[in-house]
Amino acid sequence: MRNRYASGWYLVALAGFALAVPGVASAQSLTSGSLRGVVRDTDGTVLRRVDLTLEGRLGGTISRFQTDLDGTFRLGLMRPGEYQMLVEQQGFQPVRLTGIMVSAGEQTRLDITLERRPPPIERVEVVPATAARVGTVAGRLLSERELSLLDYRRGAADVFRGVSEVVWPADGRNGNGVAAAGLPIGFSRLMVDGVFEASLGHLGLKSEPAPLSALSRDGLAQVRMMNAPLDTEWRGALGPVYATQTASGTDRLTVVPFAKVSSATLGGRAIDNPLEQSATSVQAGALIAGAIVPDTTHFLLRFDYQALEQPTAWPFERDTASFGGATVSLREALPVLAQDSFGIGIGPHALPAVRSWKGASGMGKLDWMLSGSSMLAARFSASTWKEETPQVGDALSMATGSTLDGRDLGAAIGITTSTPGFDNELRAGFSTARRKYLAPSLPETRLLAEGAAFGGSSVLPAFFDVRTIDIANTIHLRTGAHQIKAGAAFTSSAYQYDYLYGSAGIYRFADLDHYGDGIGAYYRAEGSGAARFTGNDVGLFVQDAWNAAPDLQLVVGLRWDFSALPKNKIAVNTPWLQATGIRGDSLENDYSGIAPRVGFVWDVRGGWVLRGGLGLHYGRIDPTVFGEAITNSGTRVVVRRGVGSFPSWPLEPDDALAPVVGPALTIVNSTWRAPRAAKGEMSVSRVMRGGLAFHLVASYQHTDFLMRREDLNLAPSSGTTQEGRPIFGTLDQQGGFVFAAPGSNRRFSDFDRVSGLSPLGSSDHYEITGALEREVGALRVHASYTYASTRDNLVGARSLDPADQLSPFPDGVDGVDWDEGRSDFDVPHRVAATAEYRSPGSSQLAVAARYRVRSGLPFTPGFRAGVDINGDGAGGNDPVFLGGGLVGLQEALIGAGCSIGLGNRFAERNSCREKMQQGLDLHASIGIPVGGNGPRLRLEVDAFNVVATETGIIDRAAVLVDPNGAVVPSGGGNVNVPLMVNPRFGSILARRGEPRVVRVGLRMEY
């Protein structure tokens, strides 16, 4: 399509503005870039008064100007995007440079060489630009062409599927990733056009990807991922910042409607759709761009509608089970048992479900040159959608019949004013994100021996809503060799947090026999009232970028960040205060910190650019922590626990079968403060002839003041198992199900778990990324490899159950802190490669491929989820014992790819790893001229997940409780637990993943 992004005719006025006055200094603006260069002949002599014509990527004049007397030129305040430039001088061969990339916060530097050529000159030589991007910004840049390619989903979050620096979800979840920079993705921040935008997944799960549905790919000009931004204006993120620039209108009216359709029966795999359900998906929309006043005021409008359906595999990967001593089909026996024993039909919950996503999104953008020195940009975006049976976290249950209603809205305005030596940027934005999760009527029901679950999910229902106001103003001063900027920012976020783990009830049964008899265990948290609170953040900064030499820039900056939380939101539980002297509401209300940053940018001759920097980065006060502390304070939450016979399943048992055992509290340590990260980064880039570029980025990040959980109401250890494992309660047994008798592991019997959250968590992350790219002409290639290593002391960071964040060894093992080890987000090897070829001519055949591969996620070998072998109330945090002499255990661990530390009594944390994940996506399209210079029709075919690794919920139980044995006291509070090796350790319990999809579409370009 012609110039539909930032390369439109409207830039004629903007480029004239940039030539009239010096633009914002190099690497100083968050929303615009600059372009400078020098023109020489083949002998190295600078050429004066060379005629230059700046054009959009697909043609169309933007601006005409000449080089200065020293052969140089400079353009400031340029919209991010891809450009080309015609260079002409009498007596020289004219050239057209293509693939000139301008990005926000950077200055693109061109070294242009003209060859003497006597007349007549009959052609213009097309040359890939040799351009280096210079500035304090480093990180993965996604260009316009990359954003429009292989759009599995329309939302902006989908673009990170091809980025090696992000741990992308391989299980089919929609969103911006699972982790980045060694931290869960919830610590990342999204900035759109220089202001914060609300992005939201399930707030109870920090590693849950956040969909960015209001920001469709068609409405974006550029996305950059920055892990350690040097510039002090970047703020408020422990993880990466996703700096997004939206597209703008053009002088020429552009209308681009499209429609795409796919079906599960078209190219799908039988294992992903065993019932051959016809799941048809449709995507349709249009983009309209043009001028209200040519060269002055331009607009862009886009909207789309999607109705996506995705069939799923069987909810139980293992169909073989035992019932009454006979081997049966779990898929067939379970519905029969539910009907015979309880009179309940569970048909849909034992069958493959069809996940669906239906919704619409839209965006409007206005760019207006207010005067010769001022420019205004305004944007509005919105989306609303509904998902049926959404996938949330690593839930074993499919949660058939659950729903998610989502809504996002964003609006922003920016005014840039520039005069000689002084610039001012004012930006303001408002955004909302809302997620309403509804659970099915059937509660979550787990069968431990079978490794199966059906019904609802333990993390449903839930309701989250966040509304953010963001205002920032930055002034730029240029004086001699110094580029000074200072500014302030204010962010106010209002949250509604309505979530309790297990609020819909959880049933656990040892096996199919116990389920048929209705004998098991029950848990439910009951609460009243949602947490509503507002957090305010203020930031002040000053920075000096000193051009110490023509090619060397030194940057020194200082930030002051201040966060304030509301008072009187956390209620005191008087009985707990009387028993322990701990109030639980004595938090400081204000948190502040000073964040210095230093760095350099060395623009070495010959296309080399070196960057380096160190700095502190403060994150926000975690809204999840504060929301949980409010919800679980006072007497707002009580817990029901029951063990025995439940003939009324799936209804909630009465008070006699599942009595209230006491309130559940969350108490935040009074030393709580905003988390911070010390980040250091070094990078080197080399731009070579022909548009080939090489990038190498190495970084280190130490993050501290992260929250760790302990149980303040846990009773002292009463003994050990035969393995020497400390136990904290009386162990009961039902077949292969072992658990603590309700109340036996409590210090104070009138209370259930009392979670103490303290800022004692820390993370160390090392990362190095090498990338090659060629993004000019007909062929575009980008390939990157990331190696990373992360260690932390945050147990159970990916678990659904907060109890699994408790340390299984509060006092350590043999004097060593077992919790310190490989992080839950340690994914060492990641590769992402994309290649696209577009032939010239009116038909413009295009073919593309994207391949991605990464290491699997780590996990700790333990017991079946729900088995509480140490009685601390957590059924998913216990590692296996390595020295017990169980026949076949070592072979099972090695066979599953686990590392076995020599001399360790218990398996190290995250010493196993899931299978390496890979995926291959393909694209082909061809333009079909409709007639003359009129509309052009483009036929597109996409094939996603042509190659994909099977993945799902992994059986992490290396050892099982032997159902034919019994827990036997051995004196002194010690017990012997019957154990056996799990022959299916490391296999898939429930298949998750992305199906193979073939999609056909039409796009009309006017």
Side-chain angles (χ1 to χ4, degrees), residues 577-634:
L577 174 61
Q578 293 173 344
T580 65
I582 300 174
R583 293 186 57 86
D585 66 336
S586 54
L587 296 179
E588 295 182 16
N589 298 102
D590 303 326
Y591 307 85
S592 62
I594 296 176
R597 298 180 197 174
V598 296
F600 71 92
V601 181
W602 187 12
D603 183 9
V604 187
R605 293 297 180 184
W608 292 93
V609 177
L610 279 72
R611 298 181 181 89
L614 297 169
L616 280 179
H617 299 254
Y618 281 90
R620 301 171 298 168
I621 294 296
D622 193 338
T624 302
V625 172
F626 199 54
E628 180 185 336
I630 295 173
T631 301
N632 292 36
S633 66

Side-chain angles (χ1 to χ4, degrees), residues 450-536:
E450 288 74 18
F454 61 97
S457 170
S458 57
V459 296
L460 305 178
F463 179 87
F464 307 110
D465 184 272
V466 57
R467 303 183 181 189
T468 296
I469 297 174
D470 190 57
I471 302 172
N473 192 86
T474 303
I475 58 173
H476 306 256
L477 298 174
R478 294 180 299 278
T479 170
H482 295 271
Q483 302 162 13
I484 300 172
K485 74 172 179 177
F490 170 75
T491 305
S492 180
S493 297
Y495 296 92
Q496 183 171 347
Y497 179 98
D498 192 357
Y499 166 65
L500 281 174
Y501 173 83
S503 62
I506 303 172
Y507 278 97
R508 296 182 179 93
F509 297 98
D511 48 41
L512 207 56
D513 288 292
H514 282 79
Y515 171 70
D517 294 334
I519 298 175
Y522 180 79
Y523 170 89
R524 184 179 181 184
E526 298 178 351
S528 59
R532 293 179 175 87
F533 58 96
T534 299
N536 296 319

Side-chain angles (χ1 to χ4, degrees), residues 24-55:
V24 175
S26 169
Q28 295 289 295
S29 174
L30 302 189
T31 57
S32 61
S34 60
L35 177 67
R36 71 177 174 93
V38 61
V39 183
R40 299 183 177 91
D41 63 13
T42 53
D43 295 329
T45 304
V46 297
L47 299 178
R48 305 173 180 177
R49 300 304 183 190
V50 178
D51 294 318
L52 305 174
T53 304
L54 184 67
E55 302 171 340

Side-chain angles (χ1 to χ4, degrees), residues 714-754:
L714 185 65
S717 173
S718 58
T720 66
T721 66
Q722 73 272 23
E723 309 160 316
R725 186 191 311 269
I727 55 177
F728 302 92
T730 302
L731 298 184
D732 281 353
Q733 180 183 8
Q734 295 176 356
F737 181 22
V738 169
F739 51 90
S744 66
N745 56 358
R746 296 301 167 208
R747 177 185 173 197
F748 300 105
S749 59
D750 292 339
F751 294 87
D752 196 70
R753 183 182 305 112
V754 179

